[in-house]
DNA sequence: TTAGATTCTGGCCATGCAGTCAAAAAATGA
DNA sequence: TCATTTTTTGACTGCATGGCCAGAATCTAA
């Protein structure tokens, strides 16, 4: 058996990689449809049409599986978002592109978006401590913070606490998605445009 | 036995009322300290120093207990917040008082604040549907929306989508609290002042 | 004092969970 | 072909949960 070896030792076999991808996809689908608390390994296995033991064979445990799901989805979001941000010049335009980019991604990939939200909110270790707590958002906050600071240095943005602005912008985006999930009839892109306006007004000089 | 009767039939006995209050308090304390998923009835009973069966005797089930916790805390928050909002005249002042009022309450009652957040986020019915989902926030959204509309009608506020603003303001407040919970060193009231400024700038006319 | 109602205890039950394992099946390669 | 390795199966373990209940303890009132 070689399932126990991380990418450290040998490379993973083709079939091994395919199974892992299949199981990750089944996990995304299951979590999105029944929510994290009811997405047991048995249920994920059923979604994939395999026996429960296969998951244990290919992943060290549920924790490793969830980690892989998060990495997979995050990479996907970054691939969608980063190019859009790179082509903007001003901080204001980047803020707008950030809000709009996430909304576009969510509209195109609601399953992945819902899954990652579910994992962030619900996944906890044996002691009840969140496995993706405030720490997970930290890199995000830092990059937004850097963006704001540069805009403030150039005089494009007013003086404000960049950390509070970053936390609030991220919260506004998350809430937009949550609201849309609960009320799919609403116009997500219109919400995103309003939200972008809101933050542009919040950061610009008097 | 009379535990099964809601306030409809007879009034509740003195001891009955005292026990219910004690159990609700124990639930608040337990959920705040170990989180909702680990706050089992057995654990809540242990916190209260009583046998598990007592909870079943005085409450129809865990759902009723959680409902009572929510009602208790919500009532408490409203009693703190409403008088402060009532004495303000302009929409701008009310927005500011709302943000600051919640922050003050959280600072004085972190246990209750954390408990209600935990319940909202984690409590789900047997089918996995959130028991306090988007519906729970609806009344809140509506009152903020009304406030904004009045401000817009009087010309004090610019034209914007009041629903998006309400969702975002609430999200900003929730995130402020979550951030403070994760990093208790930070200055909650300073965060609240920044947040209030942010929204005041977002709603005022150009 | 005593009968009846109320309240409490602690053990029990069915359910669902993550993870384990021996054995079966499938793939591999000599 | 056949021995060896990789992969899969499905039953099993141990644990935690919410709810249930028979009997004990306590309280109330006549």
């Amino acid at each position: 058996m070689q399932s126990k070896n991380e990418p450290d030792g040998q490379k993973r076999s083709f079939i091994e990689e395919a199974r892992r991808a299949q199981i990750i996809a089944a996990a995304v689908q299951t979590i999105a449809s029944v929510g994290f608390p009811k997405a047991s390994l048995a249920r994920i296995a059923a979604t994939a049409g395999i026996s429960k033991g296969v998951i244990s064979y290919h992943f060290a445990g549920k924790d490793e599986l969830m980690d892989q799901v998060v990495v997979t989805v995050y990479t996907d979001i970054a691939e969608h978002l980063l190019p859009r941000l790179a082509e903007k010049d001003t901080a204001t335009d980047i803020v707008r592109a950030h809000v709009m980019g996430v909304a576009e991604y969510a509209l195109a990939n609601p399953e992945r978006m819902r899954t990652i939200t579910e994992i962030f909110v619900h996944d906890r270790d044996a002691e009840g401590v969140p496995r993706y707590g405030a720490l997970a958002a930290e890199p995000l906050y830092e990059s937004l913070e850097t963006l704001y600071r540069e805009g403030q240095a150039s005089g494009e943005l007013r003086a404000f606490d960049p950390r509070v602005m970053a936390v609030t912008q991220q919260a506004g985006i998350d809430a937009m998605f949550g609201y849309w999930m609960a009320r799919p009839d609403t116009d997500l892109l219109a919400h995103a445009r309003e939200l972008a306006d809101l933050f542009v007004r919040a950061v610009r000089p008097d």
Side-chain angles (χ1 to χ4, degrees), chain A:
Chain A
M1 85 158 84
Q2 61 194 154
S3 74
K4 302 299 184 200
N5 54 8
E6 310 280 298
D8 46 77
Q10 267 70 356
K11 72 273 182 181
R12 254 189 282 267
S13 78
F14 176 76
I15 192 168
E16 170 92 10
E17 210 53 68
R19 263 282 190 252
R20 284 174 64 96
Q22 178 202 17
I23 292 168
I24 290 170
V28 168
Q29 190 184 325
T30 307
I31 294 170
S33 83
V34 305
F36 183 88
K38 293 193 77 83
S40 63
L41 291 184
R43 207 147 177 171
I44 293 169
T47 300
I50 59 180
S51 168
K52 191 173 59 139
V54 185
I55 298 181
S56 298
Y57 179 73
H58 290 282
F59 293 89
K62 201 180 188 185
D63 286 357
E64 205 218 71
L65 174 55
M66 291 305 125
D67 289 345
Q68 293 309 312
V69 169
V70 169
V71 167
T72 302
V73 175
Y74 246 55
T75 304
D76 197 49
I77 294 177
E79 278 170 9
H80 176 273
L81 214 52
L82 294 185
R84 275 153 225 259
L85 301 186
E87 70 188 15
K88 303 295 179 187
D89 294 324
T90 67
T92 307
D93 282 348
I94 295 176
V95 166
R96 202 180 288 276
H98 180 218
V99 174
M100 296 306 298
V102 175
E104 284 161 16
Y105 183 87
L107 207 51
N109 306 275
E111 227 177 34
R112 293 182 178 197
M113 202 73 182
R114 171 151 152 73
T115 293
I116 209 167
T117 303
E118 282 284 312
I119 294 176
F120 277 7
V121 168
H122 288 105
D123 199 3
R124 303 201 166 177
D125 66 19
E127 286 80 36
V129 180
R131 292 192 65 241
Y132 302 90
L135 319 108
E138 190 60 30
L140 242 162
Y141 292 156
E142 274 167 21
S143 52
L144 280 173
E145 224 176 324
T146 303
L147 169 67
Y148 296 139
R149 283 193 202 285
E150 288 172 2
Q152 288 172 328
S154 78
E156 185 195 344
L157 307 184
R158 72 173 173 100
F160 54 80
D161 183 329
R163 179 47 63 123
V164 170
M165 189 63 70
V167 171
T168 308
Q169 181 174 335
Q170 192 53 44
I173 291 172
D174 291 346
M176 168 178 72
F177 179 67
Y179 192 85
W180 177 65
M181 280 274 95
R183 301 167 176 79
D185 294 338
T186 59
D187 185 341
L188 181 63
L189 293 180
H191 187 140
R193 280 189 295 270
E194 278 285 328
L195 192 60
D197 276 357
L198 192 162
F199 281 106
V200 167
R201 284 165 198 272
V203 299
R204 71 183 178 190
D206 297 313

